[in-house]
Amino acid sequence: QSVLTQPPSASGTPGQRVTISCSGSSSNIGSNTVTWYQQLPGTAPKLLIYSNNQRPSGVPDRFSGSKSGTSASLAISGLQSEDEADYYCAAWDDSLSGRVFGTGTKVTVL
Amino acid sequence: QVQLQQWGAGLLKPSETLSLTCDVYGGSFSGYYWSWIRQPPGKGLEWIGDIYHSGSANCNPSLKSRVTISVDTSKNQFSLKLSSVTAADTAVYYCARGYGDYEDHWGQGTLVTVSS
């Protein structure tokens, strides 16, 4: 059961900027940090952004994260073909006392 | 570098118990929490639960009555048991290492199919 809402799809041409939203509530995004994962077809999710806007080493600076209130966003600038993947946001939920994931967004490079 | 290698039965009958284990190679086992997450075919991710190296565990409330997560620090491994499985439990199950509010290393995933 996903309590974080994402658009099902997003697309852009190579070089464009794509933004993915993640909408939650005061018990999750509103009071905890947001994480973003990238899942390439047939593979395990990969950590992309943590603590709202931090990139692990090795993640290109084309990927950036932000958070405001009960929503968060992932931006991909200079879109590349290898960015075609599913993207998930996640956060801890204080009401559920558990981790919740977003519904997922499939990014297509046209 | 840290690697998580998971293993367990991939085909179960309804009412049986799912059992998966994740071996952790490289890095420290202490100071992290160790998670299980699943993904039904074609669907999104669902957190199952996690356990600290000390043995303190948290579980998804919707699965809590059927889930047991355990850790064996002497073997650098942790395990998941899910009882009374049904077709709705068919999914790819992932183990992962958690640090703070995120999982930074994931296992390769195990497809578990429940079918009579």
Side-chain angles (χ1 to χ4, degrees):
Chain A
Q1 77 286 19
S2 300
V3 298
L4 303 181
T5 303
Q6 300 178 232
S9 63
S11 62
T13 57
Q16 278 191 327
R17 175 184 170 92
V18 169
T19 301
I20 301 168
S21 61
C22 175
S23 178
S25 67
S26 58
S27 64
N28 42 65
I29 293 178
S31 51
N32 296 291
T33 62
V34 176
T35 305
W36 288 92
Y37 300 96
Q38 177 193 59
Q39 187 175 32
L40 298 171
T43 69
K46 169 192 167 185
L47 178 64
L48 198 64
I49 297 287
Y50 66 96
S51 297
N52 302 326
N53 55 18
Q54 301 298 301
R55 284 186 309 275
S57 61
V59 172
D61 60 6
R62 304 184 291 104
F63 295 92
S64 62
S66 64
K67 177 184 127 172
S68 178
T70 59
S71 294
S73 293
L74 173 72
I76 310 173
S77 59
L79 192 65
Q80 299 182 6
S81 58
E82 57 260 39
D83 299 333
E84 272 207 350
D86 293 324
Y87 293 83
Y88 293 91
C89 57
W92 183 262
D93 191 293
D94 294 333
S95 296
L96 297 176
S97 292
R99 197 137 169 75
V100 291
F101 286 92
T103 49
T105 299
K106 183 176 183 61
V107 169
T108 302
V109 181
L110 301 171
Chain B
Q1 79 243 32
V2 177
Q3 290 188 7
L4 281 70
Q5 187 75 30
Q6 56 185 101
W7 48 278
L11 181 60
L12 297 173
K13 289 181 168 51
S15 81
E16 291 185 334
T17 295
L18 178 157
S19 181
L20 296 174
T21 297
C22 187
D23 291 321
V24 180
Y25 300 98
S28 172
F29 197 75
S30 299
Y32 298 94
Y33 59 90
W34 304 94
S35 302
W36 290 99
I37 294 157
R38 70 180 182 179
Q39 184 172 35
K43 296 188 178 181
L45 301 166
E46 180 182 29
W47 178 75
I48 299 171
D50 57 41
I51 189 166
Y52 282 83
H53 64 90
S54 63
S56 174
N58 294 296
C59 291
N60 188 322
S62 68
L63 300 170
K64 193 171 185 176
S65 62
R66 299 193 291 131
V67 167
T68 301
I69 298 176
S70 59
V71 63
D72 187 337
T73 55
S74 68
K75 295 181 179 179
N76 277 15
Q77 69 179 204
F78 60 107
S79 299
L80 168 70
K81 291 188 186 300
L82 178 66
S83 64
S84 305
V85 297
T86 69
D89 295 312
T90 293
V92 175
Y93 286 74
Y94 294 102
C95 62
R97 187 183 82 167
Y99 183 74
D101 279 352
Y102 56 91
E103 289 77 25
D104 59 356
H105 289 85
W106 294 62
Q108 79 277 20
T110 300
L111 174 60
V112 176
T113 302
V114 180
S115 175
S116 56

